[in-house]
Amino acid sequence: MRGVILTLKEIPKIHIDVEGILPKTIKNKRKNEIEDLKILYGKEIVKLGDFFDVEKTSENTLIFCGNLERVKRIGFRMDEGIIKIEGNAGMYVGAFMEGGKIIAHGNVGSFSGLNMKGGEIIIEKNAGDYLGAAYRGNWKGMSGGNILVKGNGGRETGAYMSGGKIVIRGKCGTFTGVGMKGGVIQTTRASFGLGASMKKGYIIVEEEIEDLLPGFIYEGEVKNPEIEGEKLKGKYLIYSGDHAERGTNGRILVKCRT
Amino acid sequence: MRLILKNGIVYDPINKINGEKMDICIENGKIVEDVRNAKIIDVKGKLVLPGGIDVHSHIAGSKVNWGRLFRPEDNIRRLVKRGENIRGGSGYSVPTTFLTGYDYARLGYTFVVSPAMPPLLARHTHHELNDIPIIDKATLSLFDGNWIAMELIKEGETEKLISYVAWLLKKTKGFSVKLVNPGGTEAWGWGKYIKYLDDQIPYFDITPRDIIRALTRVCEYLHLPHSIHLHCNNLGNPGNFETTLETIKTVRGIKAKNRQVLHLAHVQFHSYGGDSWKSLESKSEEIAKRINKQKNVTIDTGNIIFGETTTMTADGPLEFHLHLLTNFKWINKDIELETSPGVTPFIYSPKSPVHSIQWAIGIELALLVDPNKVIITTDHPNGGRFTEYPRIIAWLMSKKYREETLKKVNTAAERRGILPTINRELTFYEIAQLTRSNPARVLGLEKYKGHLGAGADADISVYEINPQKIETNDYETIIKSFSYSYLTLKSGKIVVKKGRIIDHPYGKTYWVDAKEREDVTRTLHEYFTKFYSVRLSNYAVQKDELRKSERICVE
């Protein structure tokens, strides 16, 4: 079995929706069959071949190339295989994902890893808002899987998440981990509103925290803590919360400078 | 269009037909004795029933729309693509208007009553009802917290009250009077909480009992086709069965010509014993006894189905308490001087002792109450979606299915209910009563709806099940065949064939034109200029705003 390279011909005027173009669906298909797959251009149903050049490759992956800022739902409801994105991607990368792996070499848009259940997303640059968050209106967000962002995260990262892990190497935006009910968010620098109304779960800040909400209470210090089976090095300050919203089991860990 | 449905097995309780092999002739949208040159459809060995009627289902109105707007996560749970004969739509517990019409038609239902319309938002409700395809519909006007009505009750001006009710029904194109927690929402606006029938409503100095009595009498003076439609006080609280019994007693001695004088909605939520959530128990037996004894009362069950749903009612305080219980999101809207609906999501879990007792009570009521007096509903979407009716039918028809479900739910249902001791299994005739003839009688439309005699509207559903061969243990077949009708006819047109929509005509909206005793516009004018945010002239819904209006004149 071999993989496929999909290269965007030119940047479309409006968004293209590639829901259903997954490693599973292109498996064992011929080139012309793949070109005939249906995608959405606005509300029109079009063929994949109209917007993408299809090329076979020996690598066992589905690769998207080009400037994909206006291509949304890459890896939507994916459950197996590997997707690589060479370039910036649009909204909903890996949303409702259940398994497999997505590697994005550029920036990704908002709502990546939305309501994710399993699998892995690696983002080499920055992520948009609502990374690993809950679908609009839902009170249950990401429940499993891992997300790694090597750049910065946007606002409301991990909103309402109940499981899984999000790691952000750069800075994350305001209201990260709002309404959390489980899982782990690890970030280097945090902005205002961290963990607002959280009930359970862990937020780990490695370097700098802008401000802490008044609903959090200082609980003490801990050395080399173990969080969900992973050991951290150094001394951390522990805060519990968000007491302002009936939450007591949420924990924010901030690393001491010295 | 002329049609003959040949050799079907017909159940028609109004005409006392119990599983006879019959031909049904249809001409110009009506059922007739005989017809010539007709197209013949052979439905041999299939179950033929009149079109189903739902007396209590929140399908249109402002609060339904709020439910859709603030639950996008519910919308994405069910997405339906545009098809050959159908429009696309979305929504699991609160489907869009088109899906609502299609889903009801697929179930074999052809008439639905949307039970709560705030008079001020009547225009919205009717435009939304206009949008629902296939089914006929009607909507009930809310009077529970109406300042003008309460003022008139306080002053004892009966003539004026009668005229006001008639005027309001006419102007809002309502079908009858709906009371939701009478006085409760108004008291809540003042920071008070009304639980019992004799609690005072602040400022107006009247009690829920006064409101129920006065408006029941008004309904009888006006000869409305449907009686008062009541959602009792104290909904969902342990020990509330006493309030319910007391409410039933308030209408003792009031008589109507050939229907009930009080219809109690979703009685399952009103049949709880005990004094706390921990000691909650089923009191369905007491309620059923009282209802069977008193001639002028009918009920609908309000069964619950396990799973996630959206609760929405005009009982604002209740929704607020649910929100405190679950901590889920919540909406409340105060509608000036009329009512105050609320919306909040809810999850019925089979593991919860309270929810499993609730489930059992719904089934118990349907089994214990006289089959001439009870109707199946889920109070869609409060207890569950209306698409789950086939499962309720199967629970009623099959003891085996009940036993199997009892094993899966919390043991509280067994310990604090009487469901395991009931051996009764309903027949197809009784199911036809519970879903067809009783609702038609309760709504006062038994001349045109709910039966298959000559002169009735040709609203018919045919199911792929042979009632003479089916065994009650085979509940899966019952659920499967009731879920998708083999044929649904609406006004003589085939709208569903083998569970697929093939045509979507628009149904009528029924409303009541009652006679006013005196001109009330002068009193109302005062009220409107003082308190309302709209003018009296903009309040009324015009007749041509309804897509297909069906006026019912009463003298």
Side-chain angles (χ1 to χ4, degrees):
Chain A
M1 194 187 77
R2 295 181 304 168
V4 171
I5 303 177
L6 300 172
T7 313
L8 191 67
K9 286 177 182 167
E10 56 179 317
I11 299 175
K13 277 183 187 162
I14 54 174
H15 277 101
I16 301 177
D17 185 341
V18 292
E19 185 180 342
I21 309 298
L22 297 172
K24 186 172 68 177
T25 49
I26 58 154
K27 197 160 74 178
N28 305 331
K29 279 206 171 81
R30 266 179 270 141
K31 191 187 163 191
N32 57 344
E33 281 174 336
I34 294 170
E35 278 173 346
D36 283 348
L37 287 170
K38 301 277 190 306
I39 56 170
L40 281 170
Y41 176 61
K43 67 167 190 172
E44 280 171 41
I45 297 168
V46 293
K47 283 178 187 168
L48 186 67
D50 297 349
F51 287 90
F52 289 91
D53 288 323
V54 180
E55 207 182 312
K56 285 273 191 179
T57 167
S58 57
E59 202 180 345
N60 188 8
T61 2
L62 170 60
I63 303 172
F64 286 88
C65 290
N67 188 345
L68 303 151
E69 270 167 13
R70 287 197 180 152
V71 179
K72 59 180 183 182
R73 290 185 223 264
I74 295 173
F76 193 79
R77 293 191 201 279
M78 171 174 171
D79 51 8
E80 58 174 35
I82 302 170
I83 292 181
K84 269 189 192 168
I85 305 168
E86 311 278 356
N88 297 341
M91 293 189 285
Y92 294 107
V93 171
F96 296 94
M97 187 168 162
E98 286 171 18
K101 190 172 179 180
I102 297 178
I103 303 161
H105 287 289
N107 298 330
V108 299
S110 298
F111 306 108
S112 324
L114 191 85
N115 275 61
M116 185 168 162
K117 278 182 195 153
E120 194 179 2
I121 301 178
I122 296 167
I123 298 158
E124 299 282 344
K125 284 185 182 170
N126 301 331
D129 300 334
Y130 303 104
L131 175 77
Y135 184 78
R136 301 180 289 146
N138 210 338
W139 56 85
K140 265 187 206 156
M142 180 172 164
S143 55
N146 290 307
I147 301 179
L148 170 64
V149 184
K150 292 189 178 165
N152 298 330
R155 294 182 207 103
E156 299 202 18
T157 300
Y160 299 96
M161 75 188 274
S162 58
K165 189 172 183 184
I166 301 177
V167 179
I168 296 167
R169 296 261 170 87
K171 193 187 170 182
C172 62
T174 50
F175 289 99
T176 293
V178 55
M180 255 175 99
K181 290 187 186 86
V184 182
I185 299 178
Q186 196 173 4
T187 174
T188 316
R189 277 167 292 151
S191 306
F192 175 74
L194 187 73
S197 82
M198 74 188 283
K199 308 255 157 32
K200 227 181 147 185
Y202 297 93
I203 303 179
I204 301 155
V205 186
E206 296 289 354
E207 269 180 24
E208 193 182 310
I209 186 159
E210 212 170 80
D211 202 353
L212 202 60
L213 288 170
F216 285 89
I217 295 172
Y218 178 65
E219 298 274 346
E221 284 181 6
V222 60
K223 259 187 186 176
N224 304 336
E226 194 181 321
I227 304 295
E228 311 246 317
E230 202 171 316
K231 273 199 175 165
L232 299 172
K233 271 181 191 168
K235 201 159 75 176
Y236 286 83
L237 308 176
I238 301 181
Y239 295 87
S240 74
D242 182 350
H243 293 277
E245 293 266 355
R246 293 200 229 171
T248 48
N249 292 329
R251 295 282 182 275
I252 294 182
L253 282 79
V254 186
K255 193 168 190 178
C256 290
R257 287 256 168 97
T258 48
Chain B
M1 195 176 167
R2 291 167 192 162
L3 268 177
I4 297 178
L5 291 181
K6 250 197 154 56
N7 299 330
I9 300 162
V10 178
Y11 287 86
D12 177 5
I14 286 182
N15 295 315
K16 302 264 178 320
I17 296 165
N18 186 358
E20 282 170 36
K21 204 171 167 188
M22 271 175 74
D23 298 345
I24 290 171
C25 309
I26 298 153
E27 193 174 11
N28 296 331
K30 295 268 178 195
I31 294 172
V32 289
E33 297 279 359
D34 201 9
V35 67
R36 281 181 189 176
N37 306 330
K39 191 183 153 191
I40 293 170
I41 301 174
D42 189 34
V43 288
K44 194 180 172 190
K46 292 188 173 68
L47 172 66
V48 178
L49 293 175
I53 300 173
D54 196 341
V55 290
H56 197 107
S57 169
H58 300 265
I59 52 166
S62 56
K63 67 178 173 313
V64 179
N65 223 16
W66 299 330
R68 288 184 193 118
L69 285 172
F70 104 134
R71 293 212 62 199
E73 81 278 11
D74 184 73
N75 287 3
I76 204 175
R77 239 181 120 178
R78 183 173 172 224
L79 298 169
V80 177
K81 279 189 182 162
R82 186 177 57 177
E84 210 173 297
N85 287 307
I86 61 167
R87 292 179 186 237
S90 67
Y92 178 76
S93 65
V94 207
T96 51
T97 47
F98 296 108
L99 281 194
T100 307
Y102 302 147
D103 283 347
Y104 264 118
R106 272 189 216 121
L107 273 187
Y109 274 63
T110 51
F111 189 101
V112 179
V113 178
S114 176
M117 163 178 71
L120 189 64
L121 304 173
R123 182 164 283 112
H124 175 159
T125 312
H126 279 296
H127 281 264
E128 213 175 317
L129 283 176
N130 283 346
D131 231 25
I132 298 176
I134 303 176
I135 52 175
D136 285 336
K137 47 250 162 177
T139 176
L140 312 175
S141 304
L142 281 166
F143 278 87
D144 53 282
N146 194 311
W147 284 18
I148 304 170
M150 285 199 286
E151 186 84 35
L152 292 173
I153 294 168
K154 183 189 172 189
E155 304 285 332
E157 301 206 44
T158 321
E159 290 289 305
K160 251 188 191 163
L161 182 67
I162 294 169
S163 307
Y164 173 62
V165 172
W167 178 87
L168 195 90
L169 286 180
K170 200 190 286 179
K171 294 300 176 193
T172 60
K173 305 286 176 283
F175 188 70
S176 189
V177 177
K178 170 78 189 287
L179 290 178
V180 173
N181 187 4
T185 45
E186 183 53 35
W188 192 54
W190 295 86
K192 303 245 166 60
Y193 191 52
I194 281 189
K195 265 190 160 180
Y196 305 106
L197 276 181
D198 294 318
D199 291 353
Q200 289 272 322
I201 299 161
Y203 176 71
F204 294 100
D205 291 330
I206 52 172
T207 59
R209 192 192 296 272
D210 295 335
I211 299 180
I212 296 168
R213 268 207 187 134
L215 285 168
T216 317
R217 291 242 156 79
V218 168
C219 282
E220 299 321 313
Y221 281 130
L222 288 171
H223 302 296
L224 298 184
H226 182 38
S227 69
I228 206 161
H229 197 106
L230 179 64
H231 156 140
C232 297
N233 297 83
N234 211 357
L235 182 143
N237 289 324
N240 64 4
F241 81 105
E242 283 171 5
T243 316
T244 315
L245 291 178
E246 196 66 13
T247 311
I248 298 169
K249 281 177 197 163
T250 51
V251 298
R252 243 185 332 195
I254 306 176
K255 270 183 190 165
K257 255 188 185 169
N258 44 17
R259 62 156 168 78
Q260 79 290 359
V261 298
L262 177 68
H263 179 77
L264 293 177
H266 40 73
V267 178
Q268 178 271 123
F269 293 109
H270 302 275
S271 313
Y272 306 152
D275 43 20
S276 69
W277 291 114
K278 278 185 181 164
S279 63
L280 184 87
E281 55 180 353
S282 160
K283 286 285 176 189
S284 52
E285 211 171 357
E286 275 87 341
I287 299 276
K289 253 185 209 163
R290 181 73 228 171
I291 290 160
N292 290 343
K293 209 172 142 193
Q294 194 166 322
K295 268 186 184 164
N296 56 4
V297 179
T298 55
I299 64 159
D300 62 72
T301 51
N303 290 66
I304 70 150
I305 306 287
F306 298 114
E308 191 183 307
T309 189
T310 315
T311 64
M312 48 178 69
T313 128
D315 191 347
L318 166 84
E319 294 292 339
F320 178 61
H321 285 279
L322 277 185
H323 156 70
L324 291 183
L325 214 68
T326 59
N327 213 12
F328 292 157
K329 52 192 171 177
W330 160 70
I331 283 184
N332 182 267
K333 196 172 181 190
D334 184 37
I335 301 196
E336 301 189 10
L337 10 164
E338 290 174 352
T339 178
S340 163
V343 186
T344 182
F346 200 77
I347 300 169
Y348 291 106
S349 155
K351 285 177 195 160
S352 153
V354 173
H355 301 164
S356 52
I357 296 170
Q358 284 183 313
W359 167 81
I361 294 175
I363 310 286
E364 286 163 13
L365 279 170
L367 292 169
L368 293 175
V369 178
D370 176 2
N372 285 310
K373 286 185 155 188
V374 58
I375 296 162
I376 296 176
T377 64
T378 57
D379 190 12
H380 167 82
N382 293 323
R385 304 177 305 144
F386 61 81
T387 41
E388 308 279 4
Y389 286 170
R391 280 176 67 197
I392 298 174
I393 292 173
W395 275 318
L396 296 179
M397 292 186 74
S398 162
K399 185 162 191 328
K400 192 184 166 208
Y401 188 31
R402 294 205 289 269
E403 276 167 355
E404 272 178 25
T405 314
L406 268 171
K407 274 179 210 157
K408 285 179 201 157
V409 305
N410 192 300
T411 50
E414 233 166 295
R415 284 183 281 117
R416 290 188 246 147
I418 45 168
L419 191 58
T421 61
I422 305 174
N423 291 323
R424 199 162 161 227
E425 288 180 331
L426 296 194
T427 60
F428 280 94
Y429 185 78
E430 282 162 332
I431 293 295
Q433 279 183 308
L434 263 55
T435 55
R436 269 77 182 172
S437 67
N438 290 354
R441 274 207 192 105
V442 164
L443 294 171
L445 294 171
E446 70 271 26
K447 244 184 179 178
Y448 321 101
K449 301 282 175 196
H451 72 108
L452 297 171
D457 289 348
D459 300 345
I460 302 165
S461 42
V462 181
Y463 299 97
E464 211 165 6
I465 184 169
N466 191 336
Q468 284 150 355
K469 283 183 189 162
I470 187 88
E471 278 180 35
T472 53
N473 284 344
D474 190 9
Y475 57 84
E476 268 161 12
T477 315
I478 297 175
I479 298 177
K480 205 178 132 200
S481 51
F482 274 109
S483 297
Y484 293 101
S485 71
Y486 176 76
L487 273 181
T488 304
L489 276 76
K490 175 74 195 55
S491 300
K493 266 185 193 162
I494 299 172
V495 288
V496 176
K497 210 172 195 177
K498 290 184 186 169
R500 297 185 66 155
I501 306 284
I502 58 163
D503 195 3
H504 43 88
Y506 277 91
K508 297 172 197 159
T509 306
Y510 285 68
W511 59 282
V512 166
D513 189 354
K515 215 176 174 187
E516 295 163 58
R517 297 280 175 94
E518 55 183 84
D519 193 18
V520 281
T521 37
R522 236 177 119 187
T523 328
L524 292 173
H525 202 78
E526 222 171 84
Y527 253 96
F528 273 77
T529 40
K530 253 189 188 169
F531 300 120
Y532 265 105
S533 66
V534 296
R535 280 168 178 249
L536 185 58
S537 48
N538 294 334
Y539 191 67
V541 179
Q542 305 302 323
K543 199 181 142 195
D544 44 356
E545 284 184 62
L546 308 186
R547 191 189 282 263
K548 267 188 190 172
S549 149
E550 177 79 17
R551 192 172 71 151
I552 298 178
C553 278
V554 285
E555 285 296 318

